[in-house]
Amino acid sequence: MSRTYQLDVNNSMGEWLINYQGGFGRRGLLGELFTQISLKFNFPIRKTILYFLYFIFVVYYSFIYLFFRDIKKNKLIIISVLSPLFVLFPLAELEALGRKDILIPLFFLIFCNFFLRTSFLVLSSILLIFFPILLLTHEVSIFYLPFFLIVLLFKIEKFNITKLLFIIFISIFFVFIIYILSNSAHSSDQIKMMCDHMKNVLNDKCGLGAYVLNRALADNIAELGGNITQFIRNFFVFVFGFSALVILIQNSYFNNQKINIISKYFNYKFLMSIVFLPTLIPFAIAVDWGRWFNLSCTMLTLFYFFCYKNKKVILNNQIKIIEIFSYNSFKSKNFFLILVFMICFSWNPKAVYHEDIGSFPIYRIITKIIKYY
């Protein structure tokens, strides 16, 4: 990031530069904060954002490490955690590096961290206060709201109409924010005003993200097209990227010793389908399929292991796919390392759906480090 953050073609940085200097609109909250910090301390705005991203990446991957550190791992769990759609993607795909997307799973990790430490009221207040920040940073966050709501519902052990109504209220509140944002598209004049301020006051330039703020949803959908080859390729990205996690989900069930309002009325597999389906909507409205694969896989993985860690679900360790690893040929550490390399480290999706599959992400990460440092 430190070698590319000044480039005009850095779309990730361009997204963070969006602000309210041309008027209120989508995706501008943090950009406005960085603008005010830059003006107050007379510090270049791109460096302000760069240092913020350094901090976010350190915090995010630290939380990831702490989250998985105490989980008892089998070989299938290892493969699911090392999926090229999960933690490696933002590092392997340069176009995805430093995107706002990382804030969604980061907040989810923080939210889950408070689950055992706080009451329903405190946890719901945290969601009510901080989730709007995600929505005002990028409206795509709304499609991942169900993960947060289900975690909140896990705090309700017995039917409580007051708590359920409060969850409905905050859900409606978040949808209302989306409604306001959808009716706050920038005009061309507002974009020009924002970019003029960026040029004349901050001595910088708007990125591509600013110039698409006046686009309607139909314009984004119109970009989608492609041919059967591209859809088949992305189908296999889904299959191979999610395969280990799907097997874990298929062989997990609610822990009867941890009864709550969710486990009492829902089947676990059905619940996972409910939280996952909204994450498919971005695929139908924007071309950045690599990012959507990453967010879908990341949120579903974190949610599954949240349930697993907190003993909400039990994994059946007698499933056939795990038993296969007990055969002599699969017991070999070298064989398993080769298998992990082939499944997890030999490929990665690209940011845009019509681009070909990337190869050897670990090698790409190392060469990028050498090239830029």
Side-chain angles (χ1 to χ4, degrees):
M1 289 188 293
S2 63
R3 300 301 186 194
T4 62
Y5 78 102
Q6 295 279 21
L7 299 178
D8 294 339
V9 295
N10 189 325
N11 293 328
S12 300
M13 186 61 64
E15 278 192 354
W16 291 102
L17 289 170
I18 297 170
N19 56 59
Y20 294 150
Q21 293 303 308
F24 177 78
R26 297 179 294 138
R27 310 179 187 181
L29 179 63
L30 290 184
E32 181 63 24
L33 175 63
F34 296 136
T35 296
Q36 297 304 321
I37 291 174
S38 179
L39 291 173
K40 182 173 181 61
F41 296 100
N42 193 28
F43 193 75
I45 188 169
R46 288 188 183 241
K47 279 194 174 182
T48 303
I49 297 170
L50 179 66
Y51 294 149
F52 173 77
L53 287 175
Y54 284 159
F55 172 76
I56 289 296
F57 265 79
V58 171
V59 172
Y60 176 64
Y61 283 102
S62 297
F63 267 101
I64 288 288
Y65 169 75
L66 294 173
F67 185 79
F68 287 100
R69 180 182 56 181
D70 299 326
I71 292 177
K72 184 179 179 180
K73 303 170 185 66
N74 60 40
K75 292 178 180 178
L76 194 58
I77 288 176
I78 292 171
I79 293 174
S80 69
V81 172
L82 294 178
S83 167
L85 302 184
F86 188 24
V87 292
L88 286 177
F89 177 76
L91 300 175
E93 178 55 29
L94 188 61
E95 182 63 24
L97 183 63
R99 291 280 188 171
K100 293 178 177 179
D101 311 345
I102 197 172
L103 296 178
I104 301 172
L106 173 58
F107 179 49
F108 185 70
L109 285 166
I110 295 171
F111 188 70
C112 290
N113 193 50
F114 280 102
F115 178 78
L116 293 177
R117 306 181 183 188
T118 59
S119 65
F120 172 86
L121 180 60
V122 173
L123 194 64
S124 56
S125 298
I126 291 171
L127 184 64
L128 183 61
I129 294 169
F130 292 100
F131 196 79
I133 296 175
L134 290 181
L135 295 176
L136 293 170
T137 301
H138 202 305
E139 65 277 11
V140 77
S141 307
I142 194 66
F143 300 119
Y144 307 94
L145 175 61
F147 292 99
F148 295 88
L149 295 180
I150 297 299
V151 170
L152 194 55
L153 282 169
F154 274 131
K155 295 292 288 186
I156 306 176
E157 295 184 1
K158 297 180 180 179
F159 185 84
N160 185 308
I161 189 65
T162 303
K163 292 180 179 179
L164 290 175
L165 286 175
F166 187 71
I167 291 177
I168 293 172
F169 165 75
I170 62 177
S171 300
I172 293 173
F173 174 63
F174 296 149
V175 172
F176 179 66
I177 292 176
I178 290 297
Y179 174 77
I180 292 174
L181 291 173
S182 65
N183 288 278
S184 302
H186 282 70
S187 66
S188 297
D189 289 340
Q190 288 177 314
I191 293 174
K192 184 178 184 302
M193 188 184 305
M194 178 175 63
C195 293
D196 285 346
H197 180 272
M198 183 73 63
K199 179 180 178 180
N200 299 325
V201 179
L202 296 173
N203 194 29
D204 211 311
K205 295 180 181 178
C206 282
L208 177 64
Y211 293 104
V212 299
L213 289 174
N214 59 349
R215 296 180 63 176
L217 182 61
D219 297 324
N220 291 331
I221 296 175
E223 283 190 341
L224 292 165
N227 53 51
I228 189 64
T229 302
Q230 293 167 355
F231 286 104
I232 291 175
R233 179 172 62 236
N234 283 283
F235 171 75
F236 281 106
V237 167
F238 177 87
V239 169
F240 284 103
F242 281 88
S243 57
L245 181 60
V246 169
I247 293 169
L248 289 172
I249 293 171
Q250 285 294 322
N251 291 276
S252 299
Y253 53 91
F254 276 122
N255 182 358
N256 291 329
Q257 304 300 316
K258 295 280 186 176
I259 298 295
N260 53 63
I261 192 172
I262 294 294
S263 58
K264 187 175 181 180
Y265 296 103
F266 290 92
N267 173 275
Y268 183 64
K269 299 174 186 63
F270 179 68
L271 175 69
M272 296 300 281
S273 299
I274 290 175
V275 296
F276 176 69
L277 285 175
T279 73
L280 298 179
I281 297 175
F283 290 89
I285 60 179
V287 300
D288 306 74
W289 283 20
R291 295 167 61 191
W292 312 144
F293 276 129
N294 170 242
L295 276 174
S296 294
C297 183
T298 298
M299 294 300 291
L300 197 65
T301 301
L302 294 177
F303 180 70
Y304 173 80
F305 285 105
F306 162 80
C307 296
Y308 183 73
K309 280 183 62 172
N310 289 281
K311 297 181 172 58
K312 303 298 181 184
V313 298
I314 296 174
L315 173 63
N316 176 15
N317 285 307
Q318 302 304 313
I319 54 181
K320 292 181 179 179
I321 192 70
I322 292 180
E323 290 178 351
I324 290 174
F325 287 117
S326 66
Y327 295 150
N328 289 333
S329 59
F330 285 84
K331 282 183 177 180
S332 167
K333 183 177 180 181
N334 290 336
F335 181 88
F336 180 68
L337 289 175
I338 293 172
L339 184 67
V340 169
F341 176 80
M342 294 301 296
I343 295 175
C344 303
F345 298 124
S346 65
W347 67 280
N348 68 278
K350 304 297 286 183
V352 181
Y353 79 101
H354 56 72
E355 294 181 318
D356 206 349
I357 300 294
S359 59
F360 304 110
I362 293 297
Y363 169 76
R364 306 295 177 197
I365 292 171
I366 294 172
T367 54
K368 285 171 188 173
I369 292 173
I370 295 173
K371 178 179 178 181
Y372 293 114
Y373 291 95

